[in-house]
Amino acid sequence: MLIDFFNTLKRADIPVSLNELLVLLDALKKGVAFASIDDFYLLSRICLIKDEKHFDRFDRAFGHYFKGLDALNLFPDNAIPEDWLRSEFLKNLSEEEKAKIEAMGGLDKLLETLNERLEDQHDRHAGGNKWIGTGGTSPFGHSGYNPEGIRIGGESKHKRAVKVWEKREFKNLDDQVELGTRNMKVALRKLRKFARTGSNEELDLNDTIRSTAANAGLLDIKMVPERHNAAKVLIFLDIGGSMDPYIHLCEQLFSAARTEFKHLEYFYFHNCVYEKVWKDNNRRHHDTLSTMDVIHTYGKDYRVIFIGDAAMSPYELIQRYGSVEHMNEEAGQVWLQRILDTWDKAIWLNPTQEKYWGYTHSTDTIHQLFDGHMYPLTLAGLEAGIKHLSK
């Protein structure tokens, strides 16, 4: 089996050698990994891959061989020449010209057509409307315009891609940001619920006076546990892509929340929550948490706060395999509904101006899923959201 796996890596143009295969075999004989595909994945990557630039290609080859991911047909194994994706010019289209460009007809059609293009295309194209390339109106490539396409390389310009073929890295939000205003903290404090917990460390003056008086004047000191904010909060943070312009604002809120709540857990997601979330964006491709485990871990007394612009392709909410980054087995709105069914008190804070929400189908859908409890990420919106959570 390992020989076939080794040959699969070689066919994927990953520079692996027999010496590295022997190291892997020796580690397996010593029981470093046993009866766990996840442990074997980590061990084989450590033994076989010398340069982290090959991690992404190794992930795809590993999934192809061991997990049957080729059946999902997210993207073909064919490597697209870098020359095809070199952008040399941008085509400027008027709004009228953009309106005349038709979408291909859904995610399944896009993926099917992409495979066909890769089989038929042999040269670089730029400025066209069919082939994988740059600067045109084709749904495949980058630096052009299409109402619904698959971005391959490049940078997002029109926020129209329904899938992205690349490995994107996001930065963690800084929870040590010094706020220039205390207003966010003041708003969050309205969610506080105090309780006395821990050992008896704080003087109870009133009880001490009563007890001393009842004890004929002999001092009888009474201690009670300190008062702590017992409010419990889960924060789900949308990160990357269209959220980049709001990083500083989100960092301010995140920093304020970390200060105010002792019982605070946070998780990152991109665009919509699916079967996995993560706590460290630097390791989000390999170190994730099961969303179902999160649902089963935290009690119903937690309050839930989502922070995101809710702007995404409708497929990400309503369709299997609709995620822009991976092949999700269940639609995004299924996972959102599971979270809302678990925790009664949940709100969505949106950093975009409220007057623009109605222009994005996904924003309107999430607004309805949250039963109208989407609030703008302003001080007034934050206060209104916290008021709902405090009821």
Side-chain angles (χ1 to χ4, degrees):
M1 184 182 78
L2 285 181
I3 297 299
D4 290 339
F5 175 49
F6 180 78
N7 289 333
T8 297
L9 297 181
K10 296 286 285 185
R11 287 195 298 271
D13 293 327
I14 300 173
V16 291
S17 68
L18 287 175
N19 286 336
E20 291 151 356
L21 178 62
L22 292 174
V23 171
L24 175 59
L25 286 169
D26 185 54
L28 289 173
K29 289 179 180 179
K30 293 179 180 178
V32 177
F34 178 74
S36 170
I37 190 68
D38 293 331
D39 290 347
F40 177 74
Y41 160 77
L42 293 173
L43 176 63
S44 59
R45 196 180 71 175
I46 290 172
C47 294
L48 298 173
I49 306 303
K50 301 184 289 290
D51 191 328
E52 64 180 15
K53 71 182 181 182
H54 299 302
F55 280 177
D56 189 52
R57 194 176 299 175
F58 174 82
D59 288 350
R60 295 183 64 206
F62 188 95
H64 173 92
Y65 186 79
F66 285 101
K67 298 183 180 181
L69 292 186
D70 54 327
L72 295 179
N73 207 21
L74 172 55
F75 295 116
D77 289 334
N78 310 51
I80 295 180
E82 293 184 7
D83 181 59
W84 291 10
L85 302 174
R86 186 180 70 250
S87 178
E88 295 182 339
F89 72 93
L90 298 178
K91 179 179 286 188
N92 294 317
L93 300 174
S94 67
E95 293 302 320
E96 292 76 12
E97 289 173 321
K98 289 180 180 179
K100 293 179 181 178
I101 301 172
E102 296 182 359
M104 187 157 286
L107 180 60
D108 293 338
K109 183 64 175 178
L110 277 169
L111 293 173
E112 177 186 343
T113 306
L114 176 58
N115 281 279
E116 295 173 357
R117 295 287 189 273
L118 281 168
E119 291 179 1
D120 298 337
Q121 184 170 345
H122 304 289
D123 300 300
R124 179 177 181 270
H125 289 267
N129 62 4
K130 176 181 178 180
W131 300 107
I132 301 166
T134 61
T137 58
S138 167
F140 312 115
H142 68 85
S143 301
Y145 175 83
N146 191 281
E148 193 173 84
I150 295 176
R151 177 164 64 83
I152 305 173
E155 298 180 356
S156 177
K157 296 185 180 300
H158 301 287
K159 313 297 183 184
R160 296 284 185 167
V162 297
K163 276 202 177 290
V164 177
W165 188 347
E166 67 177 354
K167 182 177 180 181
R168 295 185 289 175
E169 303 293 346
F170 305 138
K171 290 179 62 178
N172 291 331
L173 294 182
D174 187 354
D175 63 355
Q176 302 298 317
V177 172
E178 290 296 328
L179 300 180
T181 175
R182 292 175 55 86
N183 289 341
M184 283 189 177
K185 292 184 179 181
V186 171
L188 291 171
R189 284 174 187 170
K190 295 179 181 179
L191 185 56
R192 292 186 299 181
K193 184 175 93 176
F194 285 105
R196 293 192 179 276
T197 58
S199 58
N200 295 339
E201 296 180 349
E202 187 175 272
L203 176 66
D204 187 341
L205 182 59
N206 291 334
D207 196 18
T208 296
I209 293 173
R210 283 193 299 269
S211 182
T212 299
N215 200 26
L218 295 176
L219 183 62
D220 186 7
I221 296 177
K222 298 294 183 182
M223 306 291 288
V224 294
E226 286 186 291
R227 294 172 75 243
H228 294 285
N229 183 5
K232 299 177 180 180
V233 179
L234 298 178
I235 294 183
F236 292 87
L237 297 146
D238 185 4
I239 196 75
S242 58
M243 284 296 292
D244 286 347
Y246 309 110
I247 286 178
H248 183 63
L249 179 61
C250 291
E251 283 180 334
Q252 287 183 319
L253 179 59
F254 186 35
S255 182
R258 290 290 292 265
T259 301
E260 291 300 317
F261 301 116
K262 178 181 179 181
H263 303 287
L264 172 69
E265 295 291 340
Y266 67 92
F267 307 96
Y268 291 111
F269 65 95
H270 179 57
N271 283 356
C272 189
V273 171
Y274 296 104
E275 67 277 4
K276 294 180 180 179
V277 291
W278 57 92
K279 294 183 75 74
D280 184 348
N281 283 305
N282 295 320
R283 297 179 57 81
R284 74 185 186 100
H285 298 288
H286 312 293
D287 191 2
T288 58
L289 300 168
S290 164
T291 306
M292 193 61 76
D293 286 348
V294 173
I295 289 174
H296 291 154
T297 298
Y298 301 98
K300 291 185 177 295
D301 54 341
Y302 273 81
R303 274 30 179 186
V304 175
I305 300 175
F306 277 82
I307 303 173
D309 62 359
M312 66 198 81
S313 163
Y315 299 129
E316 299 197 60
L317 282 177
I318 65 176
Q319 188 169 327
R320 181 189 185 196
Y321 303 158
S323 167
V324 74
E325 292 194 308
H326 76 293
M327 294 302 246
N328 52 300
E329 288 293 332
E330 295 180 292
Q333 65 180 4
V334 173
W335 285 102
L336 288 176
Q337 191 61 57
R338 284 196 180 110
I339 291 172
L340 294 173
D341 290 342
T342 302
W343 292 287
D344 296 333
K345 295 295 183 180
I347 63 172
W348 188 293
L349 296 176
N350 194 326
T352 60
Q353 295 184 44
E354 190 171 1
K355 63 182 180 180
Y356 297 124
W357 294 356
Y359 294 102
T360 307
H361 182 270
S362 60
T363 306
D364 188 55
T365 301
I366 292 176
H367 195 190
Q368 294 180 41
L369 275 174
F370 277 70
D371 198 22
H373 296 297
M374 178 182 285
Y375 303 92
L377 189 44
T378 61
L379 291 175
L382 180 58
E383 289 178 354
I386 295 301
K387 183 179 180 180
H388 169 68
L389 294 179
S390 301
K391 294 179 179 178

